Amino acid sequence: MIRIERSGLQLRHGVAWLQQQGFQPPQLRQALGQSLAWEQPLVTVYGKQHRTPRLTCWVADPGCTYRYSGLQQVIHPWTAELETLRQLLLDQLGVRFNSLLLNRYRDGADRMGWHADDEPELDDQAPIVSLSLGAARDLRFRPRRGGDAPFAIHLADGDLLVMDPPSQRHWQHALPPRARVQHERINLTFRVIRPA
Ligand SMILES: O=C(O)CCC(=O)C(=O)O
């Protein structure tokens, strides 16, 4: 894996990681697209309600509830494919993830604004691990308090990105819109929640 390091930021980028594990990313993306219960929830941002500019699904062990932007996610169970991925990550990274947020960007208009995954229920000692499927998109990073320059990582089909602590404390990330992208991308972020 390629290491990307800045002050307060530690990333590991596994290019075509999923292919190296013997998976075919298009098949997995199709299976997830069809089998999961995708939602486009109403969220409250700066006091205003709007639908998220992407589809989402929260998969987690019982009791692992997650709330962001005023929204409590409905828990969906692990499917066989997702359970296999979770086991692979346990074998390779030594971390047992108990929850997973999936984001589905239908085309380049769908996006994610600047944020850090630093909600109180997340275990801040554990990495957050992102797996990308489908259309390649840029994930941008910027420091919360200045210093280092913002930069972007190009995430392609099958890429893994490990965001190690304390990255979420010092940096934010965003997935900007890309007018020319016409295809779908599904991103999975594996997380450790401290059960309530
Ligand atoms: O789609 C991505 O690569 C980013 C997802 C993300 O920022 C998140 O799940 O917190």
Side-chain angles (χ1 to χ4, degrees):
M1 292 218 232
I2 302 163
R3 283 186 179 274
I4 300 154
E5 293 182 351
R6 302 283 192 281
S7 175
L9 181 78
Q10 287 188 32
L11 307 174
R12 288 176 274 165
H13 184 190
V15 175
W17 177 85
L18 194 61
Q19 292 85 329
Q20 287 166 21
Q21 315 307 314
F23 280 81
Q24 296 192 356
Q27 283 181 4
L28 179 61
R29 184 169 51 86
Q30 217 177 17
L32 297 178
Q34 286 171 0
S35 64
L36 295 179
W38 295 96
E39 294 155 25
Q40 191 180 13
L42 269 177
V43 290
T44 310
V45 180
Y46 298 121
K48 280 196 182 153
Q49 282 207 325
H50 63 90
R51 299 243 167 237
T52 55
R54 61 189 174 276
L55 308 181
T56 66
C57 181
W58 177 246
V59 171
D61 291 349
C64 292
T65 49
Y66 185 48
R67 169 176 281 281
Y68 71 88
S69 302
L71 174 91
Q72 175 131 352
Q73 298 276 339
V74 179
I75 299 182
H76 296 285
W78 296 83
T79 63
E81 299 97 342
L82 296 175
E83 191 62 70
T84 304
L85 289 172
R86 152 152 94 161
Q87 185 62 43
L88 258 174
L89 293 173
L90 172 61
D91 295 345
Q92 296 201 4
L93 303 175
V95 180
R96 188 178 181 282
F97 293 97
N98 58 14
S99 51
L100 164 60
L101 179 65
L102 296 106
N103 284 295
R104 186 176 190 182
Y105 308 89
R106 291 158 292 184
D107 58 26
D110 276 358
R111 62 198 184 274
M112 169 96 76
W114 286 109
H115 69 284
D117 298 313
D118 62 349
E119 288 79 9
E121 59 266 48
L122 287 173
D123 180 348
D124 61 3
Q125 304 300 309
I128 291 179
V129 175
S130 142
L131 176 64
S132 294
L133 303 172
R137 298 280 294 261
D138 291 326
L139 186 66
R140 304 205 71 223
F141 284 87
R142 71 177 183 193
R144 285 186 171 189
R145 261 175 239 95
D148 285 296
F151 67 96
I153 300 181
H154 195 64
L155 292 175
D157 200 21
D159 283 9
L160 193 76
L161 185 71
V162 181
M163 297 185 269
D164 283 309
S167 303
Q168 306 293 338
R169 188 147 21 111
H170 303 298
W171 286 70
Q172 293 182 322
H173 52 278
L175 193 95
R178 288 284 179 259
R180 269 171 291 173
V181 173
Q182 291 175 355
H183 298 292
E184 165 182 273
R185 170 176 183 266
I186 292 180
N187 177 261
L188 299 79
T189 46
F190 291 84
R191 298 145 188 264
V192 180
I193 291 271
R194 298 195 192 98

mmCIF file of all heavy atoms in Angstrom, residues 132-176:
data_model
loop_
_atom_site.group_PDB
_atom_site.id
_atom_site.type_symbol
_atom_site.label_atom_id
_atom_site.label_comp_id
_atom_site.label_asym_id
_atom_site.label_seq_id
_atom_site.Cartn_x
_atom_site.Cartn_y
_atom_site.Cartn_z
ATOM 1 N N SER A 132 -13.665 1.552 -2.835
ATOM 2 C CA SER A 132 -14.361 2.226 -3.940
ATOM 3 C C SER A 132 -14.685 1.245 -5.054
ATOM 4 O O SER A 132 -13.843 0.425 -5.440
ATOM 5 C CB SER A 132 -13.472 3.339 -4.510
ATOM 6 O OG SER A 132 -13.294 4.346 -3.549
ATOM 7 N N LEU A 133 -15.894 1.364 -5.590
ATOM 8 C CA LEU A 133 -16.341 0.516 -6.702
ATOM 9 C C LEU A 133 -16.925 1.404 -7.783
ATOM 10 O O LEU A 133 -17.671 2.341 -7.495
ATOM 11 C CB LEU A 133 -17.448 -0.441 -6.229
ATOM 12 C CG LEU A 133 -17.122 -1.377 -5.064
ATOM 13 C CD1 LEU A 133 -18.390 -2.100 -4.619
ATOM 14 C CD2 LEU A 133 -16.054 -2.378 -5.472
ATOM 15 N N GLY A 134 -16.622 1.101 -9.036
ATOM 16 C CA GLY A 134 -17.251 1.825 -10.135
ATOM 17 C C GLY A 134 -16.448 3.034 -10.580
ATOM 18 O O GLY A 134 -15.216 3.017 -10.560
ATOM 19 N N ALA A 135 -17.166 4.100 -10.984
ATOM 20 C CA ALA A 135 -16.520 5.281 -11.571
ATOM 21 C C ALA A 135 -15.431 5.840 -10.660
ATOM 22 O O ALA A 135 -15.629 5.934 -9.442
ATOM 23 C CB ALA A 135 -17.575 6.362 -11.834
ATOM 24 N N ALA A 136 -14.295 6.210 -11.252
ATOM 25 C CA ALA A 136 -13.214 6.825 -10.476
ATOM 26 C C ALA A 136 -13.613 8.255 -10.111
ATOM 27 O O ALA A 136 -14.160 8.993 -10.933
ATOM 28 C CB ALA A 136 -11.923 6.828 -11.289
ATOM 29 N N ARG A 137 -13.358 8.640 -8.857
ATOM 30 C CA ARG A 137 -13.657 9.999 -8.388
ATOM 31 C C ARG A 137 -12.497 10.474 -7.515
ATOM 32 O O ARG A 137 -11.736 9.665 -6.993
ATOM 33 C CB ARG A 137 -14.964 10.013 -7.556
ATOM 34 C CG ARG A 137 -16.216 9.587 -8.290
ATOM 35 C CD ARG A 137 -16.790 10.694 -9.162
ATOM 36 N NE ARG A 137 -17.293 11.818 -8.390
ATOM 37 C CZ ARG A 137 -18.586 12.011 -8.084
ATOM 38 N NH1 ARG A 137 -19.498 11.138 -8.483
ATOM 39 N NH2 ARG A 137 -18.964 13.088 -7.406
ATOM 40 N N ASP A 138 -12.417 11.794 -7.328
ATOM 41 C CA ASP A 138 -11.380 12.366 -6.460
ATOM 42 C C ASP A 138 -11.921 12.548 -5.050
ATOM 43 O O ASP A 138 -13.002 13.124 -4.880
ATOM 44 C CB ASP A 138 -10.948 13.741 -6.987
ATOM 45 C CG ASP A 138 -10.190 13.622 -8.294
ATOM 46 O OD1 ASP A 138 -9.461 12.626 -8.468
ATOM 47 O OD2 ASP A 138 -10.336 14.522 -9.142
ATOM 48 N N LEU A 139 -11.171 12.084 -4.073
ATOM 49 C CA LEU A 139 -11.498 12.376 -2.677
ATOM 50 C C LEU A 139 -10.530 13.470 -2.236
ATOM 51 O O LEU A 139 -9.311 13.289 -2.281
ATOM 52 C CB LEU A 139 -11.340 11.126 -1.815
ATOM 53 C CG LEU A 139 -11.792 11.279 -0.368
ATOM 54 C CD1 LEU A 139 -13.311 11.507 -0.270
ATOM 55 C CD2 LEU A 139 -11.419 10.047 0.468
ATOM 56 N N ARG A 140 -11.098 14.634 -1.858
ATOM 57 C CA ARG A 140 -10.240 15.769 -1.493
ATOM 58 C C ARG A 140 -10.007 15.788 0.016
ATOM 59 O O ARG A 140 -10.873 15.381 0.792
ATOM 60 C CB ARG A 140 -10.883 17.086 -1.937
ATOM 61 C CG ARG A 140 -11.191 17.114 -3.433
ATOM 62 C CD ARG A 140 -11.232 18.530 -3.966
ATOM 63 N NE ARG A 140 -9.893 19.101 -3.988
ATOM 64 C CZ ARG A 140 -9.582 20.342 -3.593
ATOM 65 N NH1 ARG A 140 -10.515 21.142 -3.136
ATOM 66 N NH2 ARG A 140 -8.345 20.778 -3.644
ATOM 67 N N PHE A 141 -8.837 16.275 0.408
ATOM 68 C CA PHE A 141 -8.488 16.400 1.827
ATOM 69 C C PHE A 141 -8.041 17.829 2.107
ATOM 70 O O PHE A 141 -7.351 18.424 1.272
ATOM 71 C CB PHE A 141 -7.330 15.448 2.174
ATOM 72 C CG PHE A 141 -7.766 14.010 2.293
ATOM 73 C CD1 PHE A 141 -7.818 13.206 1.165
ATOM 74 C CD2 PHE A 141 -8.146 13.482 3.511
ATOM 75 C CE1 PHE A 141 -8.239 11.885 1.255
ATOM 76 C CE2 PHE A 141 -8.569 12.162 3.609
ATOM 77 C CZ PHE A 141 -8.617 11.365 2.478
ATOM 78 N N ARG A 142 -8.434 18.351 3.266
ATOM 79 C CA ARG A 142 -7.920 19.665 3.685
ATOM 80 C C ARG A 142 -7.737 19.664 5.209
ATOM 81 O O ARG A 142 -8.544 19.057 5.943
ATOM 82 C CB ARG A 142 -8.864 20.793 3.252
ATOM 83 C CG ARG A 142 -10.159 20.837 4.026
ATOM 84 C CD ARG A 142 -11.040 22.023 3.599
ATOM 85 N NE ARG A 142 -12.239 22.079 4.418
ATOM 86 C CZ ARG A 142 -13.304 22.819 4.157
ATOM 87 N NH1 ARG A 142 -13.334 23.578 3.078
ATOM 88 N NH2 ARG A 142 -14.345 22.822 4.962
ATOM 89 N N PRO A 143 -6.677 20.342 5.687
ATOM 90 C CA PRO A 143 -6.466 20.379 7.134
ATOM 91 C C PRO A 143 -7.507 21.281 7.785
ATOM 92 O O PRO A 143 -7.950 22.257 7.179
ATOM 93 C CB PRO A 143 -5.054 20.957 7.280
ATOM 94 C CG PRO A 143 -4.810 21.712 6.027
ATOM 95 C CD PRO A 143 -5.647 21.079 4.949
ATOM 96 N N ARG A 144 -7.905 20.954 9.022
ATOM 97 C CA ARG A 144 -8.925 21.772 9.685
ATOM 98 C C ARG A 144 -8.399 23.140 10.068
ATOM 99 O O ARG A 144 -9.146 24.098 10.130
ATOM 100 C CB ARG A 144 -9.391 21.064 10.956
ATOM 101 C CG ARG A 144 -10.288 19.911 10.651
ATOM 102 C CD ARG A 144 -10.829 19.354 11.954
ATOM 103 N NE ARG A 144 -11.862 18.386 11.686
ATOM 104 C CZ ARG A 144 -12.628 17.856 12.629
ATOM 105 N NH1 ARG A 144 -12.472 18.205 13.891
ATOM 106 N NH2 ARG A 144 -13.538 16.974 12.317
ATOM 107 N N ARG A 145 -7.110 23.198 10.356
ATOM 108 C CA ARG A 145 -6.578 24.470 10.861
ATOM 109 C C ARG A 145 -5.476 25.060 9.994
ATOM 110 O O ARG A 145 -4.598 25.730 10.493
ATOM 111 C CB ARG A 145 -6.042 24.254 12.292
ATOM 112 C CG ARG A 145 -7.037 24.713 13.328
ATOM 113 C CD ARG A 145 -6.600 24.397 14.725
ATOM 114 N NE ARG A 145 -7.566 23.557 15.385
ATOM 115 C CZ ARG A 145 -7.508 22.241 15.442
ATOM 116 N NH1 ARG A 145 -6.511 21.581 14.884
ATOM 117 N NH2 ARG A 145 -8.440 21.554 16.062
ATOM 118 N N GLY A 146 -5.495 24.836 8.719
ATOM 119 C CA GLY A 146 -4.452 25.402 7.861
ATOM 120 C C GLY A 146 -3.146 24.646 8.002
ATOM 121 O O GLY A 146 -3.108 23.568 8.586
ATOM 122 N N GLY A 147 -2.082 25.191 7.476
ATOM 123 C CA GLY A 147 -0.793 24.495 7.520
ATOM 124 C C GLY A 147 -0.555 23.830 6.185
ATOM 125 O O GLY A 147 -0.219 24.494 5.215
ATOM 126 N N ASP A 148 -0.791 22.512 6.144
ATOM 127 C CA ASP A 148 -0.562 21.790 4.880
ATOM 128 C C ASP A 148 -1.562 22.207 3.805
ATOM 129 O O ASP A 148 -2.693 22.600 4.098
ATOM 130 C CB ASP A 148 -0.712 20.283 5.116
ATOM 131 C CG ASP A 148 0.490 19.718 5.838
ATOM 132 O OD1 ASP A 148 1.583 19.762 5.275
ATOM 133 O OD2 ASP A 148 0.319 19.249 6.985
ATOM 134 N N ALA A 149 -1.144 22.052 2.554
ATOM 135 C CA ALA A 149 -2.022 22.386 1.421
ATOM 136 C C ALA A 149 -3.058 21.277 1.217
ATOM 137 O O ALA A 149 -2.759 20.097 1.429
ATOM 138 C CB ALA A 149 -1.184 22.528 0.160
ATOM 139 N N PRO A 150 -4.274 21.640 0.784
ATOM 140 C CA PRO A 150 -5.259 20.617 0.415
ATOM 141 C C PRO A 150 -4.730 19.792 -0.766
ATOM 142 O O PRO A 150 -3.905 20.263 -1.540
ATOM 143 C CB PRO A 150 -6.473 21.437 -0.032
ATOM 144 C CG PRO A 150 -6.273 22.799 0.508
ATOM 145 C CD PRO A 150 -4.794 23.012 0.610
ATOM 146 N N PHE A 151 -5.225 18.562 -0.874
ATOM 147 C CA PHE A 151 -4.841 17.711 -2.002
ATOM 148 C C PHE A 151 -5.950 16.697 -2.252
ATOM 149 O O PHE A 151 -6.900 16.612 -1.466
ATOM 150 C CB PHE A 151 -3.498 17.007 -1.729
ATOM 151 C CG PHE A 151 -3.559 16.003 -0.619
ATOM 152 C CD1 PHE A 151 -3.756 14.652 -0.898
ATOM 153 C CD2 PHE A 151 -3.439 16.386 0.706
ATOM 154 C CE1 PHE A 151 -3.825 13.707 0.128
ATOM 155 C CE2 PHE A 151 -3.513 15.459 1.741
ATOM 156 C CZ PHE A 151 -3.706 14.120 1.452
ATOM 157 N N ALA A 152 -5.833 15.950 -3.360
ATOM 158 C CA ALA A 152 -6.864 14.958 -3.682
ATOM 159 C C ALA A 152 -6.225 13.611 -3.989
ATOM 160 O O ALA A 152 -5.084 13.550 -4.455
ATOM 161 C CB ALA A 152 -7.669 15.431 -4.895
ATOM 162 N N ILE A 153 -6.967 12.547 -3.705
ATOM 163 C CA ILE A 153 -6.541 11.197 -4.090
ATOM 164 C C ILE A 153 -7.561 10.688 -5.100
ATOM 165 O O ILE A 153 -8.772 10.793 -4.875
ATOM 166 C CB ILE A 153 -6.498 10.266 -2.871
ATOM 167 C CG1 ILE A 153 -5.504 10.814 -1.850
ATOM 168 C CG2 ILE A 153 -6.102 8.848 -3.275
ATOM 169 C CD1 ILE A 153 -5.377 9.946 -0.629
ATOM 170 N N HIS A 154 -7.058 10.158 -6.194
ATOM 171 C CA HIS A 154 -7.931 9.626 -7.239
ATOM 172 C C HIS A 154 -8.269 8.181 -6.859
ATOM 173 O O HIS A 154 -7.381 7.331 -6.786
ATOM 174 C CB HIS A 154 -7.175 9.692 -8.567
ATOM 175 C CG HIS A 154 -8.049 9.508 -9.751
ATOM 176 N ND1 HIS A 154 -9.059 10.403 -10.077
ATOM 177 C CD2 HIS A 154 -8.071 8.549 -10.704
ATOM 178 C CE1 HIS A 154 -9.663 9.985 -11.171
ATOM 179 N NE2 HIS A 154 -9.076 8.871 -11.570
ATOM 180 N N LEU A 155 -9.532 7.929 -6.577
ATOM 181 C CA LEU A 155 -9.943 6.589 -6.137
ATOM 182 C C LEU A 155 -10.651 5.881 -7.285
ATOM 183 O O LEU A 155 -11.714 6.316 -7.731
ATOM 184 C CB LEU A 155 -10.854 6.695 -4.915
ATOM 185 C CG LEU A 155 -10.178 7.209 -3.633
ATOM 186 C CD1 LEU A 155 -11.198 7.381 -2.518
ATOM 187 C CD2 LEU A 155 -9.053 6.259 -3.192
ATOM 188 N N ALA A 156 -10.055 4.782 -7.739
ATOM 189 C CA ALA A 156 -10.591 4.044 -8.878
ATOM 190 C C ALA A 156 -11.242 2.740 -8.408
ATOM 191 O O ALA A 156 -11.191 2.390 -7.219
ATOM 192 C CB ALA A 156 -9.463 3.775 -9.868
ATOM 193 N N ASP A 157 -11.840 2.042 -9.357
ATOM 194 C CA ASP A 157 -12.558 0.792 -9.097
ATOM 195 C C ASP A 157 -11.668 -0.210 -8.342
ATOM 196 O O ASP A 157 -10.591 -0.563 -8.823
ATOM 197 C CB ASP A 157 -12.931 0.217 -10.480
ATOM 198 C CG ASP A 157 -14.060 -0.776 -10.427
ATOM 199 O OD1 ASP A 157 -14.836 -0.772 -9.447
ATOM 200 O OD2 ASP A 157 -14.183 -1.559 -11.400
ATOM 201 N N GLY A 158 -12.103 -0.629 -7.172
ATOM 202 C CA GLY A 158 -11.362 -1.633 -6.408
ATOM 203 C C GLY A 158 -10.330 -1.078 -5.451
ATOM 204 O O GLY A 158 -9.677 -1.827 -4.727
ATOM 205 N N ASP A 159 -10.166 0.266 -5.404
ATOM 206 C CA ASP A 159 -9.142 0.854 -4.516
ATOM 207 C C ASP A 159 -9.587 0.832 -3.050
ATOM 208 O O ASP A 159 -10.764 1.063 -2.733
ATOM 209 C CB ASP A 159 -8.876 2.323 -4.891
ATOM 210 C CG ASP A 159 -8.005 2.461 -6.129
ATOM 211 O OD1 ASP A 159 -7.743 1.451 -6.811
ATOM 212 O OD2 ASP A 159 -7.585 3.600 -6.423
ATOM 213 N N LEU A 160 -8.612 0.606 -2.183
ATOM 214 C CA LEU A 160 -8.848 0.652 -0.738
ATOM 215 C C LEU A 160 -8.110 1.869 -0.187
ATOM 216 O O LEU A 160 -6.977 2.139 -0.598
ATOM 217 C CB LEU A 160 -8.288 -0.620 -0.085
ATOM 218 C CG LEU A 160 -8.718 -0.874 1.360
ATOM 219 C CD1 LEU A 160 -10.157 -1.389 1.399
ATOM 220 C CD2 LEU A 160 -7.804 -1.891 2.037
ATOM 221 N N LEU A 161 -8.744 2.596 0.710
ATOM 222 C CA LEU A 161 -8.072 3.717 1.374
ATOM 223 C C LEU A 161 -8.257 3.567 2.879
ATOM 224 O O LEU A 161 -9.388 3.590 3.373
ATOM 225 C CB LEU A 161 -8.650 5.059 0.904
ATOM 226 C CG LEU A 161 -7.904 6.271 1.470
ATOM 227 C CD1 LEU A 161 -6.512 6.407 0.849
ATOM 228 C CD2 LEU A 161 -8.701 7.559 1.235
ATOM 229 N N VAL A 162 -7.129 3.378 3.565
ATOM 230 C CA VAL A 162 -7.178 3.258 5.029
ATOM 231 C C VAL A 162 -6.870 4.629 5.613
ATOM 232 O O VAL A 162 -5.823 5.208 5.319
ATOM 233 C CB VAL A 162 -6.134 2.225 5.528
ATOM 234 C CG1 VAL A 162 -6.214 2.084 7.044
ATOM 235 C CG2 VAL A 162 -6.329 0.877 4.840
ATOM 236 N N MET A 163 -7.804 5.146 6.403
ATOM 237 C CA MET A 163 -7.597 6.439 7.076
ATOM 238 C C MET A 163 -7.311 6.135 8.546
ATOM 239 O O MET A 163 -8.211 5.766 9.309
ATOM 240 C CB MET A 163 -8.835 7.329 6.924
ATOM 241 C CG MET A 163 -9.128 7.693 5.476
ATOM 242 S SD MET A 163 -10.501 8.858 5.277
ATOM 243 C CE MET A 163 -11.873 7.722 5.092
ATOM 244 N N ASP A 164 -6.025 6.243 8.915
ATOM 245 C CA ASP A 164 -5.625 5.870 10.271
ATOM 246 C C ASP A 164 -5.815 7.039 11.236
ATOM 247 O O ASP A 164 -5.728 8.202 10.826
ATOM 248 C CB ASP A 164 -4.151 5.436 10.260
ATOM 249 C CG ASP A 164 -3.970 4.028 9.702
ATOM 250 O OD1 ASP A 164 -4.674 3.117 10.167
ATOM 251 O OD2 ASP A 164 -3.135 3.841 8.798
ATOM 252 N N PRO A 165 -6.015 6.727 12.542
ATOM 253 C CA PRO A 165 -6.077 7.807 13.518
ATOM 254 C C PRO A 165 -4.716 8.503 13.608
ATOM 255 O O PRO A 165 -3.698 7.838 13.392
ATOM 256 C CB PRO A 165 -6.430 7.086 14.839
ATOM 257 C CG PRO A 165 -6.360 5.621 14.585
ATOM 258 C CD PRO A 165 -6.211 5.403 13.122
ATOM 259 N N PRO A 166 -4.659 9.797 13.905
ATOM 260 C CA PRO A 166 -5.777 10.687 14.273
ATOM 261 C C PRO A 166 -6.278 11.518 13.092
ATOM 262 O O PRO A 166 -6.682 12.660 13.297
ATOM 263 C CB PRO A 166 -5.134 11.589 15.326
ATOM 264 C CG PRO A 166 -3.722 11.791 14.800
ATOM 265 C CD PRO A 166 -3.358 10.516 14.064
ATOM 266 N N SER A 167 -6.272 10.956 11.878
ATOM 267 C CA SER A 167 -6.593 11.741 10.677
ATOM 268 C C SER A 167 -7.912 12.503 10.799
ATOM 269 O O SER A 167 -8.021 13.657 10.387
ATOM 270 C CB SER A 167 -6.659 10.815 9.463
ATOM 271 O OG SER A 167 -5.450 10.117 9.302
ATOM 272 N N GLN A 168 -8.950 11.839 11.364
ATOM 273 C CA GLN A 168 -10.271 12.480 11.399
ATOM 274 C C GLN A 168 -10.296 13.686 12.341
ATOM 275 O O GLN A 168 -11.155 14.549 12.228
ATOM 276 C CB GLN A 168 -11.355 11.481 11.839
ATOM 277 C CG GLN A 168 -11.405 10.203 11.014
ATOM 278 C CD GLN A 168 -11.836 10.437 9.577
ATOM 279 O OE1 GLN A 168 -12.482 11.436 9.243
ATOM 280 N NE2 GLN A 168 -11.476 9.521 8.695
ATOM 281 N N ARG A 169 -9.352 13.702 13.285
ATOM 282 C CA ARG A 169 -9.319 14.817 14.241
ATOM 283 C C ARG A 169 -8.754 16.085 13.592
ATOM 284 O O ARG A 169 -9.116 17.193 13.962
ATOM 285 C CB ARG A 169 -8.466 14.407 15.460
ATOM 286 C CG ARG A 169 -8.517 15.391 16.564
ATOM 287 C CD ARG A 169 -8.430 14.808 17.975
ATOM 288 N NE ARG A 169 -7.865 13.485 18.125
ATOM 289 C CZ ARG A 169 -6.685 13.256 18.702
ATOM 290 N NH1 ARG A 169 -5.917 14.255 19.108
ATOM 291 N NH2 ARG A 169 -6.252 12.025 18.871
ATOM 292 N N HIS A 170 -7.842 15.916 12.646
ATOM 293 C CA HIS A 170 -7.115 17.074 12.118
ATOM 294 C C HIS A 170 -7.450 17.439 10.681
ATOM 295 O O HIS A 170 -7.063 18.512 10.219
ATOM 296 C CB HIS A 170 -5.620 16.825 12.234
ATOM 297 C CG HIS A 170 -5.180 16.538 13.639
ATOM 298 N ND1 HIS A 170 -5.327 17.452 14.657
ATOM 299 C CD2 HIS A 170 -4.654 15.432 14.204
ATOM 300 C CE1 HIS A 170 -4.877 16.925 15.786
ATOM 301 N NE2 HIS A 170 -4.475 15.693 15.541
ATOM 302 N N TRP A 171 -8.088 16.525 9.959
ATOM 303 C CA TRP A 171 -8.346 16.770 8.537
ATOM 304 C C TRP A 171 -9.810 16.499 8.208
ATOM 305 O O TRP A 171 -10.476 15.693 8.868
ATOM 306 C CB TRP A 171 -7.463 15.850 7.675
ATOM 307 C CG TRP A 171 -6.032 16.268 7.655
ATOM 308 C CD1 TRP A 171 -5.148 16.187 8.696
ATOM 309 C CD2 TRP A 171 -5.321 16.852 6.562
ATOM 310 N NE1 TRP A 171 -3.918 16.685 8.304
ATOM 311 C CE2 TRP A 171 -3.995 17.095 6.996
ATOM 312 C CE3 TRP A 171 -5.651 17.191 5.258
ATOM 313 C CZ2 TRP A 171 -3.020 17.660 6.183
ATOM 314 C CZ3 TRP A 171 -4.678 17.747 4.432
ATOM 315 C CH2 TRP A 171 -3.382 17.979 4.892
ATOM 316 N N GLN A 172 -10.288 17.147 7.154
ATOM 317 C CA GLN A 172 -11.620 16.865 6.605
ATOM 318 C C GLN A 172 -11.462 16.301 5.198
ATOM 319 O O GLN A 172 -10.418 16.491 4.563
ATOM 320 C CB GLN A 172 -12.441 18.142 6.512
ATOM 321 C CG GLN A 172 -12.788 18.740 7.863
ATOM 322 C CD GLN A 172 -13.651 19.982 7.706
ATOM 323 O OE1 GLN A 172 -13.450 20.767 6.784
ATOM 324 N NE2 GLN A 172 -14.599 20.148 8.605
ATOM 325 N N HIS A 173 -12.526 15.655 4.709
ATOM 326 C CA HIS A 173 -12.495 15.158 3.338
ATOM 327 C C HIS A 173 -13.837 15.430 2.667
ATOM 328 O O HIS A 173 -14.854 15.662 3.348
ATOM 329 C CB HIS A 173 -12.115 13.672 3.292
ATOM 330 C CG HIS A 173 -12.925 12.787 4.169
ATOM 331 N ND1 HIS A 173 -12.689 12.628 5.520
ATOM 332 C CD2 HIS A 173 -13.989 12.003 3.899
ATOM 333 C CE1 HIS A 173 -13.557 11.789 6.033
ATOM 334 N NE2 HIS A 173 -14.371 11.391 5.074
ATOM 335 N N ALA A 174 -13.832 15.404 1.340
ATOM 336 C CA ALA A 174 -15.045 15.682 0.564
ATOM 337 C C ALA A 174 -14.934 15.001 -0.794
ATOM 338 O O ALA A 174 -13.825 14.790 -1.300
ATOM 339 C CB ALA A 174 -15.204 17.192 0.340
ATOM 340 N N LEU A 175 -16.088 14.668 -1.354
ATOM 341 C CA LEU A 175 -16.119 14.104 -2.708
ATOM 342 C C LEU A 175 -16.869 15.109 -3.588
ATOM 343 O O LEU A 175 -18.100 15.161 -3.574
ATOM 344 C CB LEU A 175 -16.827 12.747 -2.697
ATOM 345 C CG LEU A 175 -16.634 11.967 -3.990
ATOM 346 C CD1 LEU A 175 -15.453 11.009 -3.839
ATOM 347 C CD2 LEU A 175 -17.869 11.193 -4.365
ATOM 348 N N PRO A 176 -16.131 15.950 -4.337
ATOM 349 C CA PRO A 176 -16.796 17.003 -5.110
ATOM 350 C C PRO A 176 -17.520 16.450 -6.331
ATOM 351 O O PRO A 176 -17.179 15.362 -6.813
ATOM 352 C CB PRO A 176 -15.638 17.907 -5.544
ATOM 353 C CG PRO A 176 -14.414 17.061 -5.464
ATOM 354 C CD PRO A 176 -14.663 15.992 -4.446
#
